Structures are given as structure tokens and as C-alpha cells.
Amino acid sequence: MRKWGLSLAIAASVTVGGCVQTRQYADVQFTPPQGDYKLLVLRPDVSVGSLTTGGMVEPRADWTDQARTNIVAALRAQQAGRGGKVQVIDRRNELAGVSPQELADIERLNAAVDNSIVLHKYLGEYLPSKRGKGLDWTLGEDAVALGRKTGFDYALFLHAEDQVASTGRVVLGVLGAAGCLVGFCAPNVGGANQLDYASLVDLKTGEVVWFNVVQAGSQVPGIKFGDLRTPQGAAQMVDRLLNRMKPGAAIRRAQGSR
Amino acid sequence: MCLRCDLTRRSLLIGGGAAAAALATGTAQARIRPADMVPLIGPGYRPTDKDEMGLWKEMERAEEEISGSNLLIDDPRITTYLRDLIGSVGGPAAKDFRIYLARIPQFNAMMFPTGFAVVFSGLLLRMRNEAQLAGVIAHESGHFLRRHQIRSWRDMRKKTDIFAIGTMLAGIGGGAAGVGVGDYVRLAELGTLLSLFRYSREMEAEADAIGAKLIEQAGYPPVEIANVWQQLVGEEQASAAYRRKRRDRGYDLFATHPAPEDRMVDLRADAAEVTVPGKLYDARRARYLDTIGSIRPMLLDDQVKLNDPGASEYLIKTLALDGWNGLLRFYEGEVWRLRNRPGDDVRAAQSYSAAVVYPDAPADAWRWHGIALLKAGRTAEAKAAFARYLAMKPDAPDAAWVRQMAG
């Protein structure tokens, strides 16, 4: 009887305990890049850490490097499939013809715009003035100038953070599940967690044309959602984040009416 | 590991919400002796442990961001000066440090885990001599030399781990025995939090002690670092008194840093301990003032615009203990003028007229002196003052207006 109770509790917590969410927005006129285009990927911001028993995140340099390599490889493969040429920039001084300061300015501007998108599109502070306009944000002239100088068609900003539940954290979850036997049921202490987001900027117009967030998390330590440290996990992440780009509302309507 | 910041405290309070049960708390802490504070790292230190390497990796990106920030003051003379200064009080890691000066008009400095420091411009304004600045920088170096960041991270990790496991076991135990343990768990959580804050204060006390030792070795009078805190206490009191509030004295179980009063007492004791009788110390005031001279008007300007007349007035008076000059008198007038209470216009006018007596009076002192004279009906003198202003600053944005006033 008791054994049944335990497995039931775990099964129940699995169904409520973990999920992968993704939600994307696009400019109304957006068509996913296809064919012969040049994509600039600016300093992918990857960080992988270990979730300690007590719930803190301990950054791990080796895991971060692994994940970064995997993500960049997966990104190249994925973009090659669409016909794009990709250049990945790791440091601000690596882009010929553009000073580190200019690149830093673009990155900071983008960070501010991304924050605004997240606030007004994802966190509920919806703006009446932007209703029905899809994704209506721009980096302006600076981004156009960057495109003109470098010849790239698009810039992609990418952020990925992954927390891997440590052994201690998994043990804590197991303890919590074991507690169900005596009436103290706490298997859902929180486990692996992944947050990824990306924004695509059209360097011809300066507009942010597409934005996507993927969140994968598990309340129960020990359940995994694509580990970025493995090539498979990274490929899965890139697939979730970038491979299902939908065209903007106006384009979809036009396609539908045809 | 900043000199005095609330950010750490807030993050500790939030981050420590899930924290563990080592209940060794209490407010009274024994003074840490400078003699016991040996550097824990040598030159060219690189981390070898996984957790510390992870921390360094995160910080690389932070440094790239900070070093390219447009808040930085990149006056080559001052940045070289700061680099040399940390090079002389940085102990064994002297050659490894990087130091950035940010234009933020507040009293603060911080050391990051990888050995780069950020100094706020408000600190440069408040320091009366090189010894005081060296003292603050030595304190920050001390955090790195004593490996405080990784030690406090490990302390936090250990305590949160213990708390998480402890809570779980207590819950299960309570469940099995049929009693609620919620109150005890909350008590343990508080205990954990308090012990984290205590640990943080201990690190600050360590940094103070090693800082005193480092500046003594570099030939600065060690007592100057205690004076820094005395000035800070005075400034906070003046600021609070003006706002008719009581100063937050910082005696608090949730403080990340020791209270300034305690620090002052401990630092005086540290200074007495490390001072070598008969040795000649030099606070190098002239060299300090000469170096920051080019940005001092900007530092004062940023301060008086904070709308904190109590603190600004105290600061200017403190700096003037080493002698008044035209710049300080002018900004004293600016404090009154911007405060604008009844009678302040008269006080400001007096300051401006005192300022223009000094050869280093800024052009704006002549401008405001002229306006005050004009208001007092002393037109001829006002015109002379305006003429002087225009001579000093012919391209001033308001030159046309002043020319009209000067008639």
C-alpha cells in the first residue's frame, strides 16, 4: 500500500512538476530568413551552473564552455539548413570594421529593448498602443549602420542559462518524496531549470523582427529537459528556440487568403 | 565586496531566504588583528577549484562590460595614478589588479572576485589625501588577498545546504511523529540568515585589518583609514540632521558591514598596532590634490546637485580643513543657493564674494558673484565681475546674456 502511495505521488508530481514553455512574437511583416542571407550572432550569452542542495546556482566554467560550443555548433547546423551564412562573435573586438565600443553600444541598446519587450509582451504590462502590431520595437539607426558597415542582413542575440540539479539536490527531492510515506510530502523542491531567449534584428531596417523565449523547468530534481552540455540537448534547445520561426501576422493572413 | 553597499545586503536577504542552520550569531565580535592577516594568495593567482573557476568565468563577462562602460572616467593621468596606487598597496597581487573609476557621486569602492576594482568618483571627492584613498583601496585589495568572495560563497552554499537538508529531515521527522515543526524551521532560517550576515561583517573586519597593514608598509600613516570612517559618520549625521531624521547607525543583525563607529574604533586600534614608532609616514596630500585637480570641479558639481545640502556642506567644510580655496568657496555658495531657504541668498552671495578673492576661483564664481552684486544694486561692481567671467569663459553658453547684463 505504502509503495503504491510513493509511486503515485511521484507520478502526480511529474505531471504537475515540469514543463517546457515557448512563446514567440514577430513583426507583422516578418518572413523567416530563407535562402542566401548573412547572419551575425553577437556574443551568445551562455551560462550553465549547478543547482546546489540549498537551491543556489553555482556557475561552472567547464560546463558553460561545453554548452557554448554545443550551442554554436547546433546553431551553425540549423542555419546552414536554411541557407544562411553565420558568423559568431565571441569578443567585441572580433568584428572587422566595427570598434568594440560601437558593438558594446549596440549590445546595451539591444539589452534595453529586450527588457522592454519582455516587460510589455511577456510580463503582462501590455501597451494599448502596440496592440495588434505584433512585435513593434526597433534598434534604430545604429543597427542599420552596423549592417551597412559589415554587410550582414540580420543580427541574432541569444541568451541561454541552464541549471543542472546537483546530486545533493536530487537527494533532497528523493527525501521529499520519501517523506510522502509519513505524511510530509515535498518532492517538488525545484530542479533543473533552463531559460533561453533570442531576438532577431533586421539590419536593413534596424527593427527587432522576431523574439522568442523558451523556458523549461522541473519542480522535481532529477528530471531533465535537454542538457545543454550535450550536443543533443543543445540541438534540442536551438530547435525549440529558433527552428519554429513563424511569419508575422500580415504575412500569415496574406498566405491564408491566397 | 564593496565598501558599503546595500545591494549585497538585499541579495543576501533574498538569496538567503532558503538558508541553513549554523546558529553561531551574536553582535559583539572580537577585533581581528592586522598581524594575523596574511595574504592567502600569491602573484598571478588563478583558480583551480571548479566553483571558483565558475565564478571567474562569470566575472570575465562582467569585467568586459564594466571596462567598456560609458560611466567610466578615462582621464589617463588619473587612471594611471589609481593603477599605481593599487600597485603599491596591493600586496602580492599588486601587479594583477585592474581598477576602474566610475562617475557615480557616492562614497563607494568594490572589489570583484577576479581582482578588478571599481572606485566611485564620490570617493575621490571625499578623500583628503592619498593615504585615505590608499587605505580604501588597500581594504578592497584585502578582500582579494584573503579570497573573501569564494570563501563567503562557500559559506553560503554550505549553510543553505545544511538548512535545506535540515528542513527536509525536520519535516519528515515531524511528519512521522505527528508534530508541526514550522516554527522551528523558521527559527533555523533566521539563524542561517544571521550567520550569513555575521560572516559578511567578519570579512569586512578582516579587510580593514589587512588594509591597515598594507598602507603602513607603503609608508602611509595608518590612522588615516580610521579618519575616513570618522568623516563618513560626520557626513551621515549632517545629512540626517538637515532632513530632521536620525542617522541609521548600522547596528543591525542584518548588516553586511560593521557599523562605521565600530569600524572606526577597531581601525584606530589597528593603526596603533601597525604603526612603527619613529618611522616617518607621509599622507601625500599635495600629490593627491594635484592629480585629481582636473576633475575636482566635476566631483563637487555632481555632489551639490544630489540635493543633499547637509552632506554637501559637511563635505566641503571637511575638505576645507586643509585650507579654503576659490573652488571650495564657490561650491559652498552653490549649496546655499540650491538649498534656497530664507537667508540662503545672502549666505551664497558671501561665499561667492569670498571665492573670487582666491586666484583659483572658477569662472562661474565670477558669474554668480556678478548676479549677487546686481541684485544688491551694486551695478558697477557687477559689471566688472561679468567682464571677468566673459574674459575667463568667452564661449560660455550664456555669454550673450551676460554681455547684455554687463551692458
Side-chain angles (χ1 to χ4, degrees):
Chain A
M1 187 61 217
R2 282 200 159 181
K3 261 187 183 166
W4 274 110
L6 177 64
S7 42
L8 269 179
I10 292 176
S13 62
V14 170
T15 46
V16 299
C19 57
V20 179
Q21 284 179 30
T22 159
R23 186 143 59 109
Q24 58 173 289
Y25 288 98
D27 186 278
V28 283
Q29 296 294 344
F30 173 66
T31 2
Q34 199 73 46
D36 186 24
Y37 63 93
K38 285 174 80 185
L39 176 73
L40 175 65
V41 181
L42 280 170
R43 300 203 314 155
D45 184 11
V46 179
S47 141
V48 181
S50 159
L51 189 68
T52 68
T53 313
M56 295 172 66
V57 181
E58 182 170 297
R60 286 282 301 263
D62 45 347
W63 294 357
T64 298
D65 286 341
Q66 259 173 21
R68 213 179 141 83
T69 314
N70 291 338
I71 290 172
V72 169
L75 186 70
R76 285 187 193 283
Q78 188 258 355
Q79 287 296 317
R82 285 172 167 270
K85 286 188 195 63
V86 182
Q87 188 183 351
V88 182
I89 297 291
D90 281 330
R91 300 250 165 214
R92 283 184 178 149
N93 55 11
E94 283 173 11
L95 191 59
V98 180
S99 75
Q101 194 56 48
E102 282 172 279
L103 216 51
D105 286 346
I106 289 270
E107 281 191 343
R108 287 183 193 134
L109 177 61
N110 179 71
V113 171
D114 281 358
N115 273 337
S116 172
I117 293 175
V118 167
L119 179 67
H120 297 300
K121 283 289 186 189
Y122 291 86
L123 297 180
E125 302 288 330
Y126 302 116
L127 293 173
S129 58
K130 293 205 188 277
R131 184 168 295 151
K133 291 189 179 168
L135 194 65
D136 186 25
W137 270 268
T138 178
L139 296 192
E141 275 306 306
D142 284 3
V144 180
L146 180 73
R148 211 182 306 122
K149 271 186 202 167
T150 57
F152 283 99
D153 300 306
Y154 294 96
L156 180 75
F157 297 85
L158 191 142
H159 171 99
E161 57 180 81
D162 196 7
Q163 286 129 35
V164 182
S166 64
T167 316
R169 193 69 179 173
V170 175
V171 168
L172 191 72
V174 169
L175 267 180
C180 294
L181 300 180
V182 296
F184 180 81
C185 213
N188 49 347
V189 290
N193 225 319
Q194 195 187 106
L195 175 72
D196 319 303
Y197 58 82
S199 65
L200 186 70
V201 177
D202 186 335
L203 294 180
K204 297 227 159 47
T205 60
E207 277 175 37
V208 184
V209 285
W210 178 86
F211 194 92
N212 193 15
V213 173
V214 174
Q215 197 182 6
S218 141
Q219 290 297 303
V220 182
I223 294 175
K224 288 177 187 152
F225 285 92
D227 189 337
L228 294 183
R229 293 171 301 170
T230 65
Q232 297 80 5
Q236 191 182 25
M237 185 282 261
V238 168
D239 178 58
R240 277 178 192 148
L241 187 64
L242 299 174
N243 223 12
R244 298 167 198 171
M245 263 184 199
K246 288 183 198 139
I251 305 291
R252 276 209 305 275
R253 262 198 305 279
Q255 285 169 346
S257 62
R258 223 180 278 154
Chain B
M1 293 292 150
C2 46
L3 202 56
R4 47 190 305 265
C5 69
D6 294 325
L7 210 73
T8 321
R9 166 149 90 173
R10 203 178 304 134
S11 65
L12 270 179
L13 272 171
I14 297 165
L23 282 152
T25 50
T27 38
Q29 278 169 9
R31 182 171 71 89
I32 290 168
R33 296 177 61 244
D36 301 333
M37 288 295 107
V38 285
L40 298 177
I41 58 165
Y45 176 76
R46 301 290 300 172
T48 48
D49 296 336
K50 289 248 184 283
D51 53 354
E52 196 171 11
M53 285 161 76
L55 193 62
W56 277 53
K57 179 100 191 162
E58 295 269 290
M59 284 302 135
E60 269 172 28
R61 209 169 164 106
E63 184 169 359
E64 191 174 8
E65 205 50 56
I66 289 171
S67 63
S69 164
N70 51 12
L71 275 181
L72 293 189
I73 298 173
D74 46 5
D75 180 315
R77 185 167 172 214
I78 297 171
T79 47
T80 313
Y81 173 74
L82 287 174
R83 210 169 36 244
D84 292 347
L85 204 55
I86 203 166
S88 71
V89 295
K95 296 273 171 293
D96 305 325
F97 286 117
R98 285 85 66 207
I99 188 163
Y100 304 102
L101 174 63
R103 185 177 174 187
I104 303 172
Q106 258 138 26
F107 178 107
N108 216 340
M110 60 206 64
M111 174 63 73
F112 287 77
T114 47
F116 71 94
V118 176
V119 170
F120 285 9
S121 59
L123 184 76
L124 293 193
L125 172 65
R126 284 161 174 82
M127 298 300 102
R128 286 172 58 190
N129 51 46
E130 192 175 298
Q132 294 193 342
L133 180 62
V136 171
I137 290 176
H139 167 101
E140 296 305 329
S141 318
H143 282 309
F144 185 71
L145 297 174
R146 296 285 302 168
R147 307 185 66 209
H148 281 163
Q149 289 91 347
I150 191 67
R151 279 167 63 201
S152 57
W153 165 258
R154 286 174 183 162
D155 176 68
M156 201 148 149
R157 187 181 57 199
K158 188 179 78 196
K159 287 172 181 167
T160 53
D161 283 0
I162 294 171
F163 176 73
I165 295 275
T167 309
M168 194 57 90
L169 291 178
I172 293 171
V179 289
V181 291
D183 290 347
Y184 295 104
V185 168
R186 270 186 284 284
L187 198 63
E189 186 176 339
L190 180 67
T192 306
L193 269 174
L194 293 180
S195 90
L196 289 176
F197 285 116
R198 186 191 147 91
Y199 195 73
S200 165
R201 289 196 297 269
E202 212 172 281
M203 303 259 141
E204 293 303 321
E206 274 196 24
D208 279 348
I210 196 170
K213 200 162 97 173
L214 288 169
I215 63 165
E216 192 281 331
Q217 285 164 357
Y220 297 106
V223 73
E224 283 297 347
I225 187 162
N227 294 343
V228 170
W229 290 103
Q230 189 169 355
Q231 285 156 220
L232 180 69
V233 170
E235 181 189 330
E236 288 182 344
Q237 270 163 353
S239 168
Y242 172 76
R243 287 177 283 118
R244 298 183 195 183
K245 294 226 168 84
R246 217 183 273 264
R247 183 174 80 93
D248 170 16
R249 288 163 62 84
Y251 287 116
D252 187 347
L253 286 175
F254 293 109
T256 56
H257 290 56
E261 276 87 344
D262 290 345
R263 278 179 108 157
M264 209 160 71
V265 171
D266 283 355
L267 278 165
R268 290 218 185 279
D270 287 347
E273 191 181 306
V274 296
T275 303
V276 181
K279 182 170 169 182
L280 279 179
Y281 295 104
D282 184 3
R284 293 175 210 162
R285 179 171 158 263
R287 187 168 86 163
Y288 175 69
L289 291 183
D290 181 48
T291 311
I292 67 154
S294 61
I295 60 163
R296 213 177 187 200
M298 178 186 87
L299 301 178
L300 282 160
D301 207 55
D302 288 348
Q303 172 63 35
V304 299
K305 284 175 181 157
L306 288 178
N307 192 21
D308 187 358
S312 299
E313 189 197 345
Y314 176 88
L315 262 174
I316 289 169
K317 291 226 165 92
T318 307
L319 295 175
L321 290 177
D322 300 317
W324 280 101
N325 58 35
L327 189 70
L328 292 175
R329 277 289 180 213
F330 169 64
Y331 279 104
E332 183 195 44
E334 290 291 273
V335 175
W336 304 133
R337 182 176 68 80
L338 294 168
R339 192 175 78 168
N340 202 21
R341 280 185 175 179
D344 278 351
D345 51 342
V346 179
R347 288 191 197 97
Q350 283 167 350
S351 296
Y352 298 137
S353 64
V356 296
V357 173
Y358 294 94
D360 70 326
D364 281 325
W366 285 102
R367 179 181 182 276
W368 283 104
H369 181 50
I371 292 172
L373 289 170
L374 204 63
K375 279 185 181 166
R378 293 153 68 179
T379 322
E381 289 163 90
K383 282 183 179 172
F386 286 139
R388 185 70 186 263
Y389 171 70
L390 289 170
M392 287 172 86
K393 223 172 161 182
D395 301 328
D398 61 348
W401 177 80
V402 175
R403 226 164 262 134
Q404 193 186 14
M405 301 302 287

